[in-house]
Amino acid sequence: MHEQEPHDSMVAHDKTSHESSGSKSLKKTSAGVIALLLVGVMMFLPTNFMIRSPGPVFNTLGKDEGKDVVSIDGAKTYASDSELDLLTVYVQGGGQNRVTIPVVLEALLNPTKDVVPEETIMAHSTSSEQQNQQNDMMMTSSQDLAIAAALTELGYDFKTWLTVADFSNELNSKLLKKGDRLLKYEGKSVSSLEQLKKALDANGDQPATLTVGRADKQGDYKNVDVAVQTQAAENGERQLGVFLGTEHKFPIGVKFGLSNVGGPSAGMMFALSIIDRLTEGSLAGKHHVAGTGEISADGTVGPIGGIAQKMVSARKSGATIFLAPAGNCNEVVGRVPEGLNVVKVSTLKEARSALEKIADGQDPSSFATCE
């Protein structure tokens, strides 16, 4: 019996070891399952990235859903054989529509897409609805600026006013109204933003008389004198505490029939289409041209987002010439699709001149490009 004890003891020990090994194995399996579950959950958590991909293309000299993309009243217009495409970008993510890690990984592997931090496109506090509203406002503004730039390029005269768009603080919020046209400051005509800034700085912290044109209920404007105050900004410049906008009164009517497209980047192509319609012949001959760029009233062409995706869309739509803002050249280099000639432009005048020369037979590849 004494000899049996070690044997019994050994049997008991072996059993204990077997149970301990099985328990550890179960724990490892459980930990692995939990880890996989956590990875699975993390894969579908929303991220703070947004994805740009190629979007639809619209010929500004054509139609969209049966409507002319650009139509003009009050002036003689001419048919054109050119195609002048504006380009769009699909944007995923941001706001309440955040994308998950698998979507981001797919975009990283797709050469036609770009993944960018959300804050490069929209503020974290901005909702998707607010962003859409901002894009709609920017589109409306770009259309107005496109008309101004085109008519300036063609030598038309039209009226322009600086207006009160909104208030940045309460300094003059009870004296001025949204939509007020700024006419005179201390008796001198307000002709431009730069001229107004100089006048505000020259007057310093003293009260001043601002004459505004204010619409009544019937829409008629009457001159009103307002005693306004200014305050110094961080850079020392005097400010009225308002956000300024621009209003134009054009001698012709221009309507835009494009729907479900926002943002400011169609400005240059809108302006070129207006020029084409108001001048005889075809601005780019029978060439298929695409392009992008913000436009200012004086014809300056500014950079935009998503130019790589827009070049992809341009080539797929059949364009062989692409007008790119000079400010986007660093994003153009190395991403130009085969068969697309990129022409670098800084102004509407440069863009118009390039297209006219191309229409006359000049080789598109001979123009300045992004290097």
Side-chain angles (χ1 to χ4, degrees), residues 43-47 51 98-105:
M43 287 290 283
F44 291 94
L45 288 175
T47 69
I51 298 169
R98 299 188 183 279
V99 291
T100 57
I101 292 176
V103 178
V104 172
L105 292 176

Side-chain angles (χ1 to χ4, degrees), residues 16 28 54 59 77 128 172 233 285 291 324 330 334 337:
T16 301
K28 286 182 179 179
N59 179 13
T77 58
S128 300
N172 293 301
N330 62 322

Side-chain angles (χ1 to χ4, degrees), residues 292-293 301-303 307 323-332 343-347 350 369-370:
T292 187
V301 175
I307 196 164
L323 301 176
N328 281 121
C329 272
N330 62 322
E331 301 167 71
V332 170
V343 178
K344 177 179 68 174
V345 296
S346 299
T347 65
E350 288 180 2
T369 189
C370 294

Side-chain angles (χ1 to χ4, degrees), residues 21-34:
S21 177
S23 175
K24 287 180 180 178
S25 177
L26 180 60
K27 287 179 179 178
K28 286 182 179 179
T29 302
S30 298
V33 170
I34 292 171

Side-chain angles (χ1 to χ4, degrees), residues 263-278:
S265 65
M268 178 179 68
M269 298 311 292
F270 279 142
L272 288 170
S273 69
I274 294 168
I275 290 172
D276 199 345
R277 287 295 189 205
L278 291 174

Side-chain angles (χ1 to χ4, degrees), residues 15 29 47 68 105-106 113 128 159 170 172 299 356:
K15 185 177 180 182
T29 302
T47 69
D68 288 330
L105 292 176
E106 186 279 329
K113 297 182 179 181
S128 300
K159 294 280 289 181
E170 296 183 357
N172 293 301
E356 288 175 339

Side-chain angles (χ1 to χ4, degrees), residues 174-220:
K174 294 181 180 179
L175 301 172
L176 298 171
K177 294 185 178 182
K178 291 183 183 180
D180 280 353
R181 295 171 173 172
L182 278 58
L183 304 179
K184 294 181 180 181
Y185 183 79
E186 285 292 274
K188 295 183 179 180
S189 295
V190 175
S191 57
S192 67
L193 179 58
E194 288 304 314
Q195 180 265 334
L196 176 63
K197 285 182 176 180
K198 290 179 181 179
L200 294 177
D201 290 341
N203 198 61
D205 59 1
Q206 298 301 309
T209 300
L210 179 65
T211 303
V212 300
R214 181 170 295 168
D216 58 22
K217 293 181 180 179
Q218 287 72 41
D220 297 322

